[in-house]
Amino acid sequence: VILTPARARLTSPDDPAAQAPVSVASASSLSVTLLYETGATQDLTGDSRARITVDEASADCAVMSSAFVVAIRAGASCSEISVSVATTGFGQFATVTIPVVYLDYTYNRATPFPVYGGSTSLVKTTLLKVDCTGYYQHAVAVAIAVLTDGDQIAVTSRATFASTDPAVVGIAGTEVEGNAPGVANVTSLWAGVTSRAYEVTVSDEEALITGMELSFTALNGITFYGERYSTKDVRVRIDFSDTT
């Protein structure tokens, strides 16, 4: 007999890991399949001859919320639970172990702004002054939740960001703005949990322009063309000395 959980992992219903967008389930349905020597199978899910129980060692962490659904208790702290099935009339028994995970911590990072191909894989810790301007670079804040199994999930869409010194580093939604030379920490708040601090430096050192490229949907050599009153997309790529 095979006992199969619908969920690969579970969490406590009151743990932040249960909150969106991480959304780890706190309960799982269980299916029971009987295997015969001939290779044939029989589904015993929902059959009264299949009795599923939470093992004694896991009783403090989980409970059968219905005959074929196991649920993690609020406040649970175990790293896994064991659930067993016994089949009346078939003499078969099986046990399955389901990992239980929790939020470990959250942290932030910043990537270049505006977003361009490959920018989300870069890390931005220093905002430089933009060449030929009086403005500083901006960045995009990202919030990451780390679970106890090591899984990392972006929670930016549900997080709010803050700066310890808005005069140096401002926050507008997920945009990190360099305002004046100095250092400030950026934190995020998600599911009631404050992240580890992310240090951002704003510097008067200039990000020098090293290249520019113009692209246009109706460009032939150096000549623009198109029907009268039509509109076309014009894009400018600017490369800076800090590789952004």
Side-chain angles (χ1 to χ4, degrees), residues 44-62:
L44 291 184
T45 306
D47 194 309
S48 60
R49 292 173 294 180
R51 183 173 180 270
I52 302 175
T53 57
V54 175
D55 291 0
E56 184 177 352
S58 302
D60 289 342
C61 287

Side-chain angles (χ1 to χ4, degrees), residues 7-89:
R7 305 286 186 176
R9 62 184 180 181
L10 296 172
T11 191
S12 172
D14 55 354
D15 190 85
Q19 301 297 312
V22 177
S23 303
V24 178
S26 58
S28 176
S29 59
L30 299 157
S31 60
V32 180
T33 305
L34 197 63
L35 304 179
Y36 292 92
E37 291 182 352
T38 61
T41 62
Q42 181 179 354
D43 185 6
L44 291 184
T45 306
D47 194 309
S48 60
R49 292 173 294 180
R51 183 173 180 270
I52 302 175
T53 57
V54 175
D55 291 0
E56 184 177 352
S58 302
D60 289 342
C61 287
V63 63
M64 296 300 300
S65 60
S66 65
F68 288 83
V69 177
V70 63
I72 304 300
R73 297 181 185 273
S77 59
C78 55
S79 60
E80 62 182 24
I81 60 168
S82 293
V83 183
S84 300
V85 60
T87 55
T88 302

Side-chain angles (χ1 to χ4, degrees), residues 133-223:
T133 75
Y135 297 97
Y136 296 94
Q137 292 174 320
H138 290 190
V140 179
V142 180
I144 307 292
V146 181
L147 305 186
T148 51
D149 63 355
D151 194 12
Q152 299 192 22
I153 302 171
V155 294
T156 310
S157 62
R158 299 294 183 93
T160 56
F161 296 88
S163 168
T164 55
D165 191 347
V168 173
V169 175
I171 301 293
T174 59
E175 192 171 334
V176 181
E177 305 171 337
N179 292 330
V183 177
N185 289 326
V186 174
T187 58
S188 63
L189 180 66
W190 167 74
V193 178
T194 299
S195 71
R196 295 178 176 180
Y198 183 78
E199 186 176 276
V200 177
T201 300
V202 181
S203 173
D204 272 334
E205 178 185 348
E206 289 191 333
L208 302 176
I209 296 175
T210 58
M212 296 181 66
E213 180 182 336
L214 176 68
S215 61
F216 186 57
T217 55
L219 179 64
N220 181 12
I222 59 172
T223 304

Side-chain angles (χ1 to χ4, degrees), residues 107-111 120-124 140-144 161 198:
Y107 72 95
N108 306 313
R109 60 185 176 88
T111 60
T120 56
S121 63
L122 302 177
V123 176
K124 194 75 174 167
V140 179
V142 180
I144 307 292
F161 296 88
Y198 183 78

